[in-house]
Amino acid sequence: MLAGLAAIDSRIKTRTGHLWEEVFTNAAQHNSLTTVAIGPTWRGNLVAANAWSSSHGLSHIGDGQHVGFINDFYDDEGWWASAWIAVYDLNHDSKYLDQAVTIFNDLDAAWNSTPVGGLWWNKKHEYVNAITNELYFSIAAHLDNRCPNDRERYINSAQAAWRWLFSSGIFTSQRNVKDGLAVGSNPGATEIVWSYNQGVVLSALTELSAATFQDLYIGIAKLIADAALANLTSADVNEDAVATLRDPCEAEMWCGIDGATFKGVFARNLAHLHSVSPEDKYAEFLRNNADALWTRSRDQYNRLGLVWGGPFTEPAGASMQCSGMDLFVGALSQLGEWNSDTESAKSGIGKRSFNARTGRLTREFFGLW
């Protein structure tokens, strides 16, 4: 989230410059020893609760055997790789890109090792889920656009990952991505549709489009985004009937610690897609959800709530704040409110430019396009 904000505001970039090295050094010392504390039990039905515990962090307990940003969970590794790519895009320090490559190598070594292809969620082979495979796809596509000396490897991996996702049965008939497949010793409720699974694939397809010069992938990304906006939004808690993004766990007002970040992941990746191929409906969605969160689900201390359409409720932990701020960054990135900053204006961040290949105007929010 901070890297995304720094990418569109040079003042934030300056203020957070020290942070990347501190996290890079210190987090690696604790990564493999972390035990996720979840607080109160999510009170969903038994099937849904099983899915939550199997695929969303309740058993993310490191064994202390790994170092750096490699641990027992391939999805954890994928999130780190995504973060370091974002930092590399900010400062172009090769050590962050090298770390993403190191993480990708660990994922790639396990590719196609499940009975149905793709990647396991963890190294105990308990589940084949969407997010792990989407992250693998996304990282491969991002690296292809940043590692010119190894492009063939990354483009082949990205295309293989997309073919697997498309043909695996992980998409519903409504073009939503479900949580996973009924494979492994503890697959949980695979049919649940979470917002973040609709998000990561958007930037993966966007990056693949840039790598292959094929707009087909942008079109597919928009079909997935449109399905999410149609099927994962609700206006029933808003006086003004604004359709805000919802996750199924919100009915019980508890989404665990990691689950509360999911909607922010979707917003961040929708903004990435929108930055390359703008759509008024995506801009409106980001703006309306950000307005709803700010006016309806914020307390007097500026803490952000779980339900973006309000009302604000406790708890309001770090994951809710990160998710909400991801939404704000996504909304700001397409509004261009930082353009009054002279340094940003000089750098060209946020300006619209003509893409000769696609014949479209695009916004250079992320310094990539």
Side-chain angles (χ1 to χ4, degrees):
M1 183 279 296
L2 284 173
L5 181 58
I8 64 172
D9 190 327
S10 61
R11 296 164 298 182
I12 299 298
K13 182 177 180 179
T14 300
R15 290 173 58 188
T16 56
H18 67 284
L19 182 64
W20 321 123
E21 177 60 28
E22 291 177 11
V23 174
F24 188 81
T25 301
N26 295 331
Q29 300 174 21
H30 299 277
N31 182 46
S32 64
L33 300 175
T34 299
T35 300
V36 172
I38 63 165
T41 302
W42 177 42
R43 301 182 301 278
N45 63 64
L46 181 60
V47 173
N50 286 339
W52 192 256
S53 63
S54 69
S55 63
H56 295 297
L58 302 195
S59 57
H60 274 56
I61 302 174
D63 62 7
Q65 301 302 308
H66 302 289
V67 296
F69 298 97
I70 304 297
N71 68 11
D72 292 327
F73 300 90
Y74 291 117
D75 60 336
D76 286 355
E77 295 179 19
W79 293 120
W80 277 119
S82 297
W84 295 131
I85 290 170
V87 172
Y88 169 77
D89 288 343
L90 277 177
N91 60 23
H92 303 292
D93 187 332
S94 61
K95 73 179 179 183
Y96 299 114
L97 188 64
D98 291 343
Q99 183 61 63
V101 170
T102 297
I103 295 169
F104 178 80
N105 289 340
D106 193 60
L107 299 173
D108 193 50
W111 174 256
N112 207 29
S113 61
T114 86
V116 294
L119 270 175
W120 291 103
W121 164 55
N122 63 2
K123 294 175 180 177
K124 293 181 179 180
H125 297 178
E126 291 180 309
Y127 188 29
V128 176
N129 65 349
I131 196 59
T132 307
N133 287 279
E134 288 180 309
L135 286 166
Y136 173 84
F137 172 28
S138 182
I139 296 161
H142 277 77
L143 291 178
D144 178 80
N145 289 322
R146 291 158 180 80
C147 300
N149 295 329
D150 212 359
R151 292 201 64 187
E152 184 176 0
R153 176 197 180 192
Y154 294 124
I155 196 64
N156 288 341
S157 296
Q159 290 176 321
W162 171 243
R163 287 194 297 269
W164 183 86
L165 284 164
F166 184 77
S167 62
S168 65
I170 219 157
F171 281 94
T172 72
S173 60
Q174 295 180 302
R175 299 194 181 107
N176 295 132
V177 183
K178 60 185 184 180
D179 193 69
L181 304 174
V183 178
S185 60
N186 189 20
T190 61
E191 301 297 316
I192 295 180
V193 174
W194 301 105
S195 58
Y196 79 149
N197 282 326
Q198 324 311 307
V200 171
V201 70
L202 300 183
S203 60
L205 286 163
T206 302
E207 293 282 338
L208 184 57
S209 176
T212 60
F213 299 96
Q214 294 185 31
D215 284 346
L216 166 68
Y217 297 115
I218 295 293
I220 295 171
K222 288 185 175 181
L223 290 175
I224 297 169
D226 292 349
L229 267 57
N231 300 323
L232 276 72
T233 57
S234 173
D236 58 0
V237 294
N238 297 305
E239 296 175 7
D240 52 8
V242 171
T244 54
L245 191 64
R246 299 290 299 270
D247 267 317
C249 54
E250 292 179 28
E252 298 291 337
M253 295 305 297
W254 174 251
C255 291
I257 289 178
D258 57 348
T261 68
F262 289 174
K263 293 186 297 185
V265 173
F266 176 80
R268 182 170 70 239
N269 287 277
L270 180 66
H272 192 165
L273 171 62
H274 177 71
S275 73
V276 175
S277 185
E279 294 280 357
D280 289 344
K281 58 189 171 184
Y282 301 153
E284 182 180 9
F285 171 84
L286 291 167
R287 182 169 57 249
N288 287 347
N289 275 258
D291 287 345
L293 176 57
W294 185 253
T295 59
R296 299 187 183 282
S297 193
R298 175 175 59 101
D299 73 356
Q300 67 269 33
Y301 306 109
N302 287 327
R303 295 184 303 167
L304 307 173
L306 173 67
V307 181
W308 287 356
F312 172 87
T313 58
E314 298 276 7
S319 52
M320 288 81 162
Q321 313 318 303
C322 186
S323 182
M325 289 187 287
D326 261 329
L327 172 63
F328 293 152
V329 171
L332 287 169
S333 70
Q334 54 87 25
L335 289 171
E337 293 186 5
W338 61 92
N339 279 345
S340 60
D341 180 81
T342 56
E343 192 172 336
S344 292
K346 289 178 182 178
S347 70
I349 296 173
K351 290 183 178 179
R352 293 174 70 87
S353 61
F354 183 74
N355 186 320
R357 180 178 65 81
T358 64
R360 289 194 294 259
L361 284 171
T362 60
R363 295 181 182 270
E364 301 173 0
F365 301 138
F366 299 94
L368 301 175
W369 303 97

